Amino acid sequence: METETEMLNTYFSNGAEVEISSDEDGFRGSWYEGIVVRPIQKKQRTNKVDDDDDDESSNKLRVLVEYKTLMADKKGKRPLKEAMTLVQLRPRPPPERRRKFKVSDEVDAYYNDGWWEGVVMEVSSDGKYSVFFRGTRDQLEFEESRIRIHREWANGEWTPPFGDEGEEKKREEKLVSTETKPNNEAAEIFSEGSLVEVSSDEEGFEGVWFVATIVKLLDNGNYLIEYQTLRNNDDTAFLQEETDRLHIQPRPPDIGSFESFKVLEEVDALHNDGWWVGVISKVLKGQRYKVYFKASNEELEFKHADIRLHLDWINGKWVRASQV
């Protein structure tokens, strides 16, 4: 694996065209075009800069980048500049030929001056595509010219490789179809007594699903659920809570066990009474793995039995997650 200095010299030299990601709320899952201005010296490193004022130190190598579409002033005359770590950058993908997309394709859609990761949910008769964005739970329509195949860049390589999406598709099909047929629970409307999983938007609980039972359907269309692992403040009973349809899903289908997971594979890890969405960052000996959680910027170790393949419940069907 290349060192940070080698990565800098190979891919992120002064003037290099790049795409930039952000961990800020509301911007996860997006990539913005920019150029590398220069590396930032150790004593000058900072999280965010406007022009060239750098004053906060950091242990990670950073580079100053200038956005092509984001501006630092309201008049839109001064491009925004930021100091970024190398993990927040990737080379600008090479151009590729126009193509048709199909339902369940993992794509990037150009929206609000950047490329946002999503899933094709519908193809209209006039050739437009309806794309679902997991991060915001929004679904928007796009022209073909504003969509591209979603690719990951790691260790100097694009996945899937340009001009060869087939090999990666073959492996995904062995794991689970991109349109997994729903199990019996998923085929029905959520009803009283159904076993489900529930998510939360509260700070510190982003990216986690807790197992619960539906107690009853409320008049406003929401559900009263009872968690199976979370207790109330008095510890006298399991916690009950109201939730809406956007924060509830059936239990994921049993798609069989896997001999091993791969680096960069998106998974759910059982931790603190819930299933937390993360990415395999390292494969260890003895069927153990390190999993990175982007929401909390943590890396924890898990045994094989406490990890499952991550799937998304979208419009009444299970969709295979992309590698991130």
Side-chain angles (χ1 to χ4, degrees), residues 226-227 229-240:
E226 181 177 279
Y227 293 98
T229 56
L230 302 183
R231 308 282 291 183
N232 59 20
N233 291 334
D234 300 330
D235 197 23
T236 57
F238 287 108
L239 178 65
Q240 290 192 355

Side-chain angles (χ1 to χ4, degrees), residues 301-319:
E301 185 176 321
F302 294 89
K303 58 185 179 181
H304 185 88
D306 291 334
I307 298 176
R308 70 186 187 190
L309 190 70
H310 179 71
L311 300 172
D312 284 303
W313 177 250
I314 303 173
N315 286 357
K317 63 183 178 183
W318 291 103
V319 177

